[in-house]
């Protein structure tokens, strides 16, 4: 207790004693006096007691505040704060994320070497070092995906071995592939860190990337299965714990599984960067150009096969309510130009697929524990599809109450697709998530219509070029043999010739010439 507050404490104690004595004496006076007599001194004592108690309460609060302050100051000096975080508490601050710092060739190796090289050669060495360092990072990520995700989930029976094989695909086979390239690049590196030739290494190694075909083609099915398995609380809890761990660098499992594909499409850029800083008289010039052609062909081929695999995956998950909804244009499609979720003017979520020659509007459903797509309307041929870009606010949402209370955000980013063929007609006002997504849909639909239109014109030209006009006016197929024409002459329907095309010419010709012409035509037939 503070010294200056001690006399005040004594006065408070005396007041408490006086109050207790007065309280004890008051019942005695009440027993001596008749019960019907009103005693005025008791009210005075009560008012005095209230004043004293009020003063005592205020003083006690002040004393308690002083004591608590002293105790707090003394405790803070002697031991750590009570409210400091404990390692075992639930509200533990997030661990420091493991970051991968980018490395430069000039910072990794001896700086003295840089003074003997030109700026262009330094940039070339930086590009080669980036290729090598990227391989090292890729190998580390692939091993991490297997060690931190695949093996624990298999050991803890979070997923079955079959499910993990479907999700991870041929990931294991890619690790030795890139270890081989890294070893070759490190072997040709000089003690000072510089590399003279890499073109011949890339020309010999790049054809191995054809093994990416099966891995990339499996990614669509792997992503769908992984998203489905995330509904299991055990899988979700495991992936969330891994995401919060420092080793993940805030990347989820799918980011690790998609790293090989992103690395594959980056090779052409890396090789062009090396070639850009390679002198024209350098021996690597020709090899690098050859390597770029090889990787471009591989990427293009894998891209085609991946697109076909994606198209086949979605075609197998289309559910038809009736046989009339089936269309040969869907069965013959090999590529999905664009697909995604859109809303109609009633707010119904639709999943729209734009194949090469047909647009399919579906609704996502769950069938046999798999995400499937049920046809919402009959397929719309792209050739007969009418596209209309709608301005913001032009579409009115379905229902009077719904339209009255809708804000501006709900009537933006709409476009309309319509189709009419005889008695069949459709019109859909579709809303994209944002303006960028809307523009993507518009561009994809326009490009699809242009391709179909160009393909139709090309087929007409080919069909016309397939037939050659004979010198006497009859049309003879170019690839048709004499025996085939003789076989056709035996049929009465083929012998009955349509002379409407040459009737006008025959009238203008002289009678003798017309007779000879008719005889010649009959001979040709």
């Amino acid at each position: 207790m503070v010294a200056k507050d001690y006399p005040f404490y004594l006065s408070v104690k005396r007041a408490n004693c006086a109050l207790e004595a007065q309280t004890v004496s008051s019942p005695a006076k009440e027993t001596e006096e008749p019960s019907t007599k009103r005693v005025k001194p008791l009210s005075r004592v009560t008012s005095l007691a209230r004043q004293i108690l009020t003063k005592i309460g205020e003083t006690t609060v002040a004393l308690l505040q002083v004591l608590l302050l002293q105790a707090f100051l003394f405790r803070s000096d002697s031991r750590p704060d009570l409210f400091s975080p404990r390692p075992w508490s639930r509200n533990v601050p997030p661990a420091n994320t493991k970051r991968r710092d980018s490395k430069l060739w000039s910072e990794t190796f001896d700086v003295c070497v840089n003074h003997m090289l030109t700026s262009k050669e330094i940039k070339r060495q930086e590009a080669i070092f980036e290729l090598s360092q990227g391989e090292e990072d890729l190998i580390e990520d692939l091993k991490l995906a297997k060690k931190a995700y695949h093996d624990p989930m298999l050991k803890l029976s979070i997923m079955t071995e079959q499910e993990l094989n479907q999700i991870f695909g041929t990931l294991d086979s890619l690790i030795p592939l890139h270890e081989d390239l890294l070893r070759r690049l490190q072997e040709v590196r000089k003690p000072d860190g510089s590399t003279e030739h890499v073109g011949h290494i890339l020309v010999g190694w790049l054809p191995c990337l054809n093994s990416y075909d099966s891995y990339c083609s499996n990614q669509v099915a792997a992503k769908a299965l992984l998203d489905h398995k995330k509904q299991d609380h055990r899988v979700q809890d495991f992936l969330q714990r891994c995401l919060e761990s420092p080793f993940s660098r805030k990347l989820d499992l799918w980011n690790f599984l998609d790293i090989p594909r992103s690395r594959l499409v980056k090779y052409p850029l890396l090789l062009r960067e090396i070639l850009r800083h390679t002198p024209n008289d350098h021996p690597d010039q020709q090899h690098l150009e050859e390597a770029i052609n090889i990787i471009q062909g591989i990427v293009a081929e894998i891209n085609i096969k991946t697109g076909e695999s994606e198209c086949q995956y979605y075609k197998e998950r289309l559910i038809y309510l009736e046989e009339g909804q089936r269309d040969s244009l869907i069965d013959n499609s090999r590529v999905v130009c664009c697909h995604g979720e859109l809303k109609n003017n009633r707010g119904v979520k639709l999943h729209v697929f734009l194949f090469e020659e047909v647009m399919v509007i579906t609704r996502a459903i769950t069938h046999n524990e798999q995400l499937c797509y049920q046809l919402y309307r009959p397929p719309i041929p792209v050739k007969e599809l009418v596209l209309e870009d709608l301005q913001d606010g032009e579409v009115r949402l379905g229902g009077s109450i719904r339209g009255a209370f809708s804000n501006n955000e709900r009537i933006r980013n709409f476009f309309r697709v319509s189709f009419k063929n005889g008695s069949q007609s459709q019109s859909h006002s579709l809303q994209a998530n944002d303006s960028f997504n809307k523009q993507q849909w518009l561009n994809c639909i326009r490009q699809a219509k242009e391709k179909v239109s160009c393909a139709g014109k090309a087929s007409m030209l080919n069909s016309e070029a397939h037939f050659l006009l004979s010198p006497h006016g009859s049309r003879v197929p170019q690839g048709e043999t004499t025996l085939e024409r003789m076989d056709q002459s035996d049929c009465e329907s083929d012998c009955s010739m349509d002379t409407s095309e040459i009737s006008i010419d025959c009238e203008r010709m002289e009678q003798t010439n017309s007779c000879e012409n008719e005889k010649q035509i009959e001979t040709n037939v």
Side-chain angles (χ1 to χ4, degrees):
M1 185 176 296
V2 184
K4 63 180 181 179
D5 295 334
Y6 187 73
F8 182 70
Y9 173 74
L10 293 178
S11 62
V12 173
K13 188 174 182 180
R14 293 191 191 98
N16 290 335
C17 294
L19 179 61
E20 291 176 358
Q22 185 69 25
T23 305
V24 172
S25 60
S26 296
K29 291 183 179 181
E30 291 177 358
T31 54
E32 294 175 358
E33 297 178 359
S35 59
T36 58
K37 184 177 180 180
R38 185 177 181 182
V39 182
K40 293 184 179 180
L42 184 60
S43 61
R44 297 177 183 177
V45 175
T46 305
S47 61
L48 178 62
R50 290 177 179 175
Q51 294 177 2
I52 293 174
L53 287 175
T54 303
K55 190 172 183 181
I56 290 174
E58 296 175 355
T59 306
T60 305
V61 173
L63 290 175
L64 290 175
Q65 291 177 351
V66 173
L67 293 175
L68 289 175
L69 180 61
Q70 289 180 349
F72 181 79
L73 294 175
F74 174 77
R75 182 166 300 187
S76 61
D77 295 337
S78 60
R79 66 180 185 178
D81 187 9
L82 294 174
F83 299 99
S84 60
R86 297 289 187 271
W88 59 82
S89 62
R90 297 181 62 87
N91 296 327
V92 179
N96 294 329
T97 304
K98 180 182 177 182
R99 295 183 179 180
R100 177 176 289 165
D101 298 331
S102 58
K103 297 180 182 180
L104 297 177
W105 174 81
S106 57
E107 297 176 353
T108 306
F109 297 97
D110 190 5
V111 185
C112 299
V113 181
N114 301 338
H115 299 289
M116 299 182 296
L117 301 176
T118 62
S119 60
K120 187 172 184 178
E121 181 62 24
I122 292 176
K123 292 180 180 179
R124 182 174 182 271
Q125 295 298 327
E126 293 285 1
I128 296 175
F129 181 76
E130 183 181 359
L131 174 64
S132 176
Q133 188 63 34
E135 293 298 308
E136 187 174 347
D137 296 339
L138 175 62
I139 295 170
E140 180 183 352
D141 289 336
L142 296 182
K143 291 183 177 180
L144 178 63
K146 177 171 173 46
K147 182 179 180 180
Y149 291 94
H150 179 277
D151 295 346
M153 285 193 290
L154 180 61
K155 187 175 182 180
L156 298 174
S157 299
I158 297 178
M159 289 190 192
T160 63
E161 185 176 1
Q162 182 179 2
E163 292 172 341
L164 291 173
N165 292 337
Q166 177 69 35
I167 293 175
F168 284 82
T170 59
L171 185 71
D172 291 341
S173 63
L174 304 180
I175 297 177
L177 180 69
H178 292 277
E179 287 179 340
D180 180 35
L181 176 60
L182 180 61
R183 178 184 54 81
R184 296 187 188 186
L185 294 176
Q186 291 175 348
E187 287 177 354
V188 297
R189 183 182 294 168
K190 296 181 180 179
D192 58 4
S194 62
T195 303
E196 186 68 22
H197 304 286
V198 295
H200 65 288
I201 296 177
L202 295 172
V203 170
W205 178 82
L206 285 175
C208 300
L209 292 178
N210 286 314
S211 59
Y212 266 75
D213 181 9
S214 59
Y215 182 80
C216 294
S217 300
N218 180 62
Q219 279 197 309
V220 179
K223 182 67 166 59
L225 179 58
L226 179 60
D227 292 340
H228 175 69
K229 294 300 296 183
K230 285 182 179 179
Q231 299 176 4
D232 187 351
H233 66 92
R234 294 185 63 199
V235 177
Q236 181 63 28
D237 181 68
F238 176 83
L239 296 179
Q240 184 63 29
R241 289 177 183 272
C242 293
L243 184 63
E244 295 174 356
S245 301
F247 70 83
S248 67
R249 307 195 309 275
K250 298 299 181 182
L251 301 177
D252 59 7
L253 174 57
W254 182 249
N255 293 132
F256 284 100
L257 296 177
D258 195 49
I259 286 177
R261 184 201 59 81
S262 60
R263 180 66 178 177
L264 178 65
V265 298
K266 194 176 181 181
Y267 279 119
L269 303 178
L270 294 173
L271 299 188
R272 287 195 192 98
E273 186 67 16
I274 299 175
L275 179 62
R276 190 164 67 93
H277 300 294
T278 301
N280 295 330
D281 56 349
H282 198 281
D284 258 1
Q285 181 78 18
Q286 183 178 358
H287 291 298
L288 289 174
E289 292 177 353
E290 183 181 356
I292 291 175
N293 293 331
I294 293 174
I295 188 59
Q296 285 180 342
I298 293 175
V299 172
E301 184 67 21
I302 293 177
N303 188 31
I304 293 175
K305 292 183 178 180
T306 303
E308 293 177 354
S309 176
E310 179 186 16
C311 181
Q312 184 65 27
Y313 173 83
Y314 287 118
K315 287 195 301 182
E316 292 176 353
R317 278 153 184 79
L318 292 178
I319 297 179
Y320 301 91
L321 297 178
E322 54 186 14
E323 289 297 326
Q325 293 180 338
R326 296 184 178 273
D327 197 325
S328 60
L329 295 178
I330 300 178
D331 299 333
N332 298 332
S333 298
R334 301 178 59 186
V335 178
V336 179
C337 302
C338 186
H339 74 94
E341 184 180 282
L342 298 172
K343 294 181 181 179
N344 60 8
N345 58 341
R346 296 186 178 183
V348 178
K349 293 182 179 180
L350 305 172
H351 199 99
V352 182
F353 294 93
L354 179 62
F355 295 97
E356 294 171 295
E357 298 183 6
V358 63
M359 173 179 281
V360 183
I361 302 177
T362 67
R363 300 179 69 174
I365 62 172
T366 302
H367 181 67
N368 294 333
E369 297 184 355
Q370 288 185 351
L371 180 63
C372 298
Y373 305 93
Q374 186 182 71
L375 264 69
Y376 181 71
R377 291 291 185 271
I380 301 177
V382 174
K383 183 178 181 181
E384 302 174 4
L385 184 145
V386 178
L387 176 63
E388 185 179 358
D389 185 7
L390 302 178
Q391 301 297 325
D392 293 342
E394 187 174 348
V395 177
R396 183 178 180 181
L397 300 181
S400 58
I401 299 178
R402 187 186 186 91
F405 291 97
S406 61
N407 53 19
N408 294 330
E409 293 296 332
R410 300 182 65 94
I411 55 177
R412 292 182 178 179
N413 308 319
F414 269 94
F415 64 93
R416 181 179 292 125
V417 292
S418 56
F419 160 72
K420 186 175 183 180
N421 184 8
S423 60
Q424 299 180 358
S425 63
Q426 297 183 47
S427 180
H428 305 277
S429 298
L430 304 175
Q431 184 183 25
N433 296 331
D434 49 35
S435 59
F436 178 76
N437 191 16
K438 172 187 174 181
Q439 193 61 40
Q440 280 188 322
W441 275 102
L442 294 177
N443 294 338
C444 289
I445 295 174
R446 288 166 181 166
Q447 291 175 2
K449 288 182 65 64
E450 290 178 1
K451 289 182 180 180
V452 171
S453 178
C454 294
K457 293 180 180 179
S459 62
M460 291 177 61
L461 292 176
N462 292 334
S463 62
E464 290 180 359
H466 185 68
F467 292 94
L468 294 178
L469 187 64
S470 67
H472 303 284
S474 63
R475 300 182 66 185
V476 181
Q478 181 180 5
E480 191 177 54
T481 61
T482 307
L483 294 176
E484 292 174 351
R485 281 180 279 148
M486 290 176 63
D487 293 338
Q488 291 178 359
S489 63
D490 295 337
C491 182
E492 295 180 357
S493 60
D494 293 335
C495 292
S496 60
M497 179 180 178
D498 185 8
T499 60
S500 59
E501 296 181 358
I502 60 174
S503 58
I504 300 177
D505 297 334
C506 291
E507 293 177 356
R508 296 178 181 177
M509 298 172 68
E510 295 181 356
Q511 185 175 2
T512 56
N513 294 335
S514 63
C515 294
E516 294 178 357
N517 192 15
E518 290 177 357
K519 292 179 180 180
Q520 186 66 30
I521 291 176
E522 292 176 356
T523 305
N524 291 335
V525 174

